[in-house]
Amino acid sequence: MNRVEKSREKYKQLFGNEVTAVNHTDPDFQDILNHFIFGEVSYQGNLDDKKHELITLVVLTVNQMLPQLHAHVSAALNVGLTPVEIKEAVYQCAPYIGFPMTLNAIHEVNDVFISKEISLPLESQKQVDEANRFDKGLAVQMEIFGEVITKMHESAPSNQKHIQEYLSAFCFGDFYTRGGLDLNTRELLTLCIITALGGAEGQVKAHVQGNKNVGNNKLTLISAITHCLPYIGFPRTLNALACVNEVIPEN
């Protein structure tokens, strides 16, 4: 199939026979969009449709593209993602974009779930409590980044140690330990979240190494960043690819 035929097949798989208003008002633009996203990018790399949609969900959440997020929640269900997987992908954004924007995204997800008669709340995926969230978070953090985490805690000035503690207990304890998504997937999504933010190349490099440490190879990282491209543009995409190439050089 050529890219036009591929785009029709992929679009139907994701959205059925839905026709957007842009088809009527700006058909040339819609064709460019469809043929690039669904005829080229969606077939690039080594990720399956479920990973593609998880990445799409987090990138749309980061950039608060809420109408498109609404549409892709349905698409995510259509390719076989569970409601839990969808919710957990959106929750994973919170440490990086904050609570208000994450809540905006949760509202869109819930709106789709309610329309499809998916009962809320979903089964809890929490796996920590107040007594162990720091220790379990620190353990996951160490699994991803290694001994550098110990050094970060030890070297933090006394008036900033709480930030390192928040990272371990909140970011990694409250979120990374949750069920619904495995560690490799959460770390890959985090790389995409930070890539979509832009201006966080230091953190992108750290999470490139983190992805490598948990078993996501360079092809997987390039595939994920490529999938971000239509939603974030070339500048942020090229910056992220430069980080990948710096941390994991060719050959």
Side-chain angles (χ1 to χ4, degrees):
M1 290 189 293
N2 61 38
R3 75 185 193 117
V4 175
E5 293 168 333
K6 286 180 177 179
S7 72
R8 290 182 186 138
E9 182 179 272
K10 183 63 66 178
Y11 187 92
K12 186 170 184 180
Q13 177 191 7
L14 295 173
F15 305 108
N17 296 317
E18 179 184 343
V19 177
T20 69
V22 180
N23 282 100
H24 301 295
T25 61
D26 300 89
D28 287 352
F29 186 83
Q30 187 69 57
D31 282 346
I32 292 169
L33 183 159
N34 282 359
H35 298 164
F36 183 58
I37 296 179
F38 305 116
E40 292 186 77
V41 171
S42 292
Y43 291 89
Q44 183 67 43
N46 66 347
L47 302 179
D48 61 19
D49 289 329
K50 290 182 180 181
K51 285 282 176 64
H52 282 156
E53 279 305 302
L54 287 173
I55 291 168
T56 303
L57 292 174
V58 299
V59 171
L60 295 176
T61 295
V62 169
N63 289 304
Q64 293 292 279
M65 301 162 178
L66 300 179
Q68 290 79 15
L69 176 63
H70 193 280
H72 274 279
V73 174
S74 293
L77 292 168
N78 289 341
V79 300
L81 284 167
T82 66
V84 166
E85 290 170 324
I86 292 168
K87 271 287 182 78
E88 289 303 316
V90 172
Y91 286 3
Q92 186 69 19
C93 297
Y96 310 102
I97 66 172
F99 288 113
M101 289 194 288
T102 308
L103 285 168
N104 287 346
I106 289 171
H107 175 79
E108 295 298 325
V109 173
N110 288 343
D111 191 49
V112 175
F113 284 2
I114 290 168
S115 74
K116 294 182 179 295
E117 299 183 343
I118 296 170
S119 297
L120 297 172
L122 303 177
E123 182 180 356
S124 174
Q125 300 300 309
K126 182 178 179 180
Q127 296 186 5
V128 298
D129 56 35
E130 289 301 302
N132 64 20
R133 58 191 284 270
F134 175 84
D135 290 335
K136 288 196 172 184
L138 181 61
V140 174
Q141 204 178 5
M142 295 279 286
E143 182 177 354
I144 298 170
F145 299 109
E147 286 300 322
V148 67
I149 300 302
T150 301
K151 295 176 182 177
M152 288 171 59
H153 278 275
E154 290 174 349
S155 64
S158 60
N159 62 355
Q160 297 169 40
K161 286 187 180 297
H162 63 286
I163 299 296
Q164 295 303 321
E165 292 171 358
Y166 290 167
L167 266 172
S168 297
F170 168 63
C171 182
F172 292 92
D174 290 342
F175 289 98
Y176 268 85
T177 63
R178 293 177 61 82
L181 297 173
D182 61 28
L183 180 60
N184 295 50
T185 300
R186 286 189 184 275
E187 183 58 13
L188 188 66
L189 292 180
T190 296
L191 177 65
C192 295
I193 291 164
I194 297 171
T195 292
L197 279 172
E201 279 68 42
Q203 288 75 23
V204 171
K205 291 176 189 177
H207 281 278
V208 169
Q209 185 63 55
N211 270 274
K212 182 181 177 184
N213 292 346
V214 300
N216 291 326
N217 63 26
K218 187 172 184 179
L219 176 58
T220 297
L221 304 191
I222 293 172
S223 300
I225 291 168
T226 299
H227 193 76
C228 296
L229 169 60
Y231 307 103
I232 66 174
F234 278 99
R236 283 177 283 179
T237 301
L238 291 171
N239 288 346
L241 286 174
C243 293
V244 172
N245 286 326
E246 181 178 332
V247 176
I248 312 174
E250 290 293 295
N251 301 319

